[in-house]
Amino acid sequence: MTAIAPDLRAVLAGIADVLIPAAQGMPSATEAGVPEALLDEVVRARPDLAAPLVEVLTAVATDDAATAVARLRAGAVPGFDTVAVVVAGGYLMSPRVMAELGYPGQEAKIVDPDDVIRTLHDGLLDPVIERGPIYRPTPGTGESR
Amino acid sequence: MDVDRVDAVIVGAGPSGAVTARRLADAGMSVVCLEQGGWPDYSKARAGFPDFELVARKHWDWNPNTRRAPGDYPVDDGDSDITALMYNGVGGSAVMYAAHWERFLPSDFRVRTLDGVADDWPVTYEDLEPYFDEVERQFAVSGLEGDPALPPATAPPLPPVPLNKVGRRGAEALNRLGWHWWPGSNAIATKDYGRLHACAQSTACPFGCPVGAKASPDRTHWPDLVADGVRLVTGARVRELVTTASGLVDGVGYVDHDGVERIQRAQVVILCANAIGTPRILLNSGLANSSGLVGRRLMMHPFGNAIGIFDEDLESWRGPLGQHLHSLQFYETDVARGFVRGAKWNLLPSGAPLSMMLPGLWGTEGSWGEDFHTALRARLGRSAIWTVICEDLPDESNRVVLDPDTVDAAGVPGVRIEYRTSENARAMMDFHLTKLELVLREMGATQTILNGHIRASGWHLMGTAVMGRDPATSVVDPVGRCHDVPNLFVLDGSTFPTSSGVNPTATIAANALRCADALVRDRAAQVVPA
């Protein structure tokens, strides 16, 4: 697995906080841990992202963060898609972020097989049924074989 | 007889291959299935884990050029308006489909007669009806009988998925507009059924169902088929079909997972490799193409969506994905609209957050800076997606050809796709998105996002080995037998003369069963190699 060196993590931190600053009661990307533990989790889930991330961070390493983001978003330096998926993907893996959003994640809730049956009793489908068939009659059916 | 020769070899372990294998095995035939990929790795089905969306964007990516799994082959789509999507492995593209289970409508089989375009099918809705009933049992279809957009039909084996808040809001809006809707029909178990378990509503259907609720043949068919003696060979890359001097096929040449060249001999060969893979094999074999139509008439369903964002919490991260409901209000032709044929709408929950925040369906730029938080709070749990599937009419210039520049891991040529979206489909999409914006406003959406003609949407592959009665204008006969090679069959969506405007898997499976039934019925008269 490609390691992400501390100096490149610092580059990522600057970019990440431009993309996701602290606002509206939400932590910044860095406060959420994107350049550190969450980056490790991202790369563990998606090892294919590590090498292209290193490449793009190296390409903008001498830019200040705002300039790096501007150049990436303009396509002057390729690889914004990689940075975006790492930063947003890592951020949305944060338990703190999920808690602030009130998002429980994909908690399992087995379907209620009677849900639509109750809908029928409520009469929700009645107007659809009352309007009758809407499919187009087809001539010559049943005579083709 | 050669001890290694079997009654039938099937290429491809997707829905058509699985249904065919079931029918042939039940008739006592010996069957081998060659599948270029492996079994799906459900350890990568990460719904409920924080890394779900990151893993899904690679491991379950619908585009083989992105996924680059061992069973994939190169598909050059640089000259196509739509990218071809597929899953190459046991279960076929049903492993990644959303399981929307839609019967083609009666008019779909009669577009020449009714609308003066394309071709009528050599079979009718009524011919397929008993096979629809049977495959709905095989694929654990959940739904509600009585949809007035279709002729009366047998009830599916399971009750429909819930409407939840998203579906109810959509249904109420359509009722106020006086427009058609019906609870969704899905190949998703709403109760434990056979090997399947009841859906846990993780919005993960196309990204590895974590609980085994979604019906794909790796779960619904192949474990039992293998137990019943069907030999499933994974990692088998078909190079070409083997022929006899008398013009029959004698078997299938393939490269096994160890790189060894092998031949599986059989009395009949059945291609179920989808409308990209099947013409790839036929073209590479130089067979069944006296009509010149192998690879031509590719149809992929121009696809768009209309997203609504609401002030209220709809818990739209939950649900099957999987359709809550569909509408066929504007499905049938009305020439006053400026186009022929129509489109299906279906309503979906919007799911997990990452896809909402990256460039793509929710905007070309993504939302960054403080806007990231604004957009995230507005969208997560508070959005719903209508999708539009436009009927794609056949055009001989839309085609699949062998690519001289690429090969797969076994050295078998890749393919190139040449495809342009028609003016008819463009007019159709514009009309339907305009109508759906009205629906979203009626639902109470405060923001709408309309995406017409999404390029990465070629899930529905059809038409490249068309069926018909005339060998001059078709590749296979009405039961899938190649006009040129009487013991070679195509039983996948390649044979479809037209595409309908609904999801095709139900009809692919039903038609495969109809043709397999005919093959069994006519077995005594089948011409086979000496």
Side-chain angles (χ1 to χ4, degrees), chain A residues 16-29 38 41-46 48-49 69 73 80-81 83-95 97-98 100-120 122-129 131-145, chain B residues 46-52 54-55 57-58 105-107 110 113-115 122-124 126-127 131 144 148-152 159-164 168 171-172 175 178-183 189-191 198-204 317-318 328-329 332-333 341 352-354 357-359 365-370 372-374 376-377 380 469 479 514 518 521:
Chain A
D17 278 357
V18 173
L19 294 175
I20 308 180
Q24 301 180 22
M26 298 294 289
S28 71
L38 290 174
E41 291 187 37
V42 168
V43 172
R44 192 174 300 119
R46 289 289 305 275
D48 60 294
L49 290 173
V69 169
R73 293 191 67 180
F80 181 67
D81 288 352
V83 172
V85 75
V86 168
V87 171
Y91 188 77
L92 292 167
M93 290 172 74
S94 160
V97 168
M98 290 174 64
E100 293 284 357
L101 290 168
Y103 173 50
Q106 296 160 300
E107 61 178 10
K109 182 179 180 182
I110 301 297
V111 291
D112 173 1
D114 295 327
D115 176 87
V116 171
I117 303 304
R118 283 194 296 275
T119 296
L120 283 174
D122 291 348
L124 193 62
L125 267 172
D126 288 355
V128 183
I129 295 167
R131 284 193 296 272
I134 63 168
Y135 65 90
R136 197 171 176 192
T138 45
T141 55
E143 300 171 1
S144 61
R145 292 179 75 186
Chain B
R46 298 288 292 169
F49 294 91
D51 60 5
F52 161 66
L54 283 168
V55 174
R57 297 175 77 87
K58 174 67 176 177
L105 281 70
S107 71
R110 287 290 174 271
T113 298
L114 294 172
D115 297 314
V123 295
T124 67
E126 288 74 13
D127 293 328
Y131 302 104
L144 185 70
L150 285 161
V161 300
L163 289 173
N164 293 351
R168 179 166 280 271
E172 290 169 347
N175 277 353
W179 291 353
H180 170 263
W181 69 276
W182 200 256
T190 47
K191 298 178 179 176
C199 173
Q201 305 197 78
S202 301
T203 60
W317 39 264
R318 169 175 287 151
L328 297 170
Q329 176 64 32
E332 305 287 4
T333 296
R341 309 302 301 154
L354 181 58
M357 303 311 301
L358 295 176
E365 295 294 316
S367 297
W368 303 107
E370 189 167 342
F372 182 91
H373 301 294
T374 304
L376 180 57
R377 285 194 186 279
L380 181 60
R469 299 188 189 285
V479 293
R514 179 186 66 83
R521 184 190 63 217

Side-chain angles (χ1 to χ4, degrees), chain A residues 5-85:
Chain A
D7 58 329
L8 292 183
R9 288 178 186 262
V11 175
L12 178 64
I15 293 171
D17 278 357
V18 173
L19 294 175
I20 308 180
Q24 301 180 22
M26 298 294 289
S28 71
T30 298
E31 290 167 348
V34 166
E36 303 300 337
L38 290 174
L39 177 59
D40 294 336
E41 291 187 37
V42 168
V43 172
R44 192 174 300 119
R46 289 289 305 275
D48 60 294
L49 290 173
L53 180 66
V54 166
E55 186 174 343
V56 66
L57 293 177
T58 302
V60 296
T62 58
D63 293 341
D64 64 77
T67 301
V69 169
R71 293 178 69 210
L72 286 165
R73 293 191 67 180
V77 177
F80 181 67
D81 288 352
T82 299
V83 172
V85 75

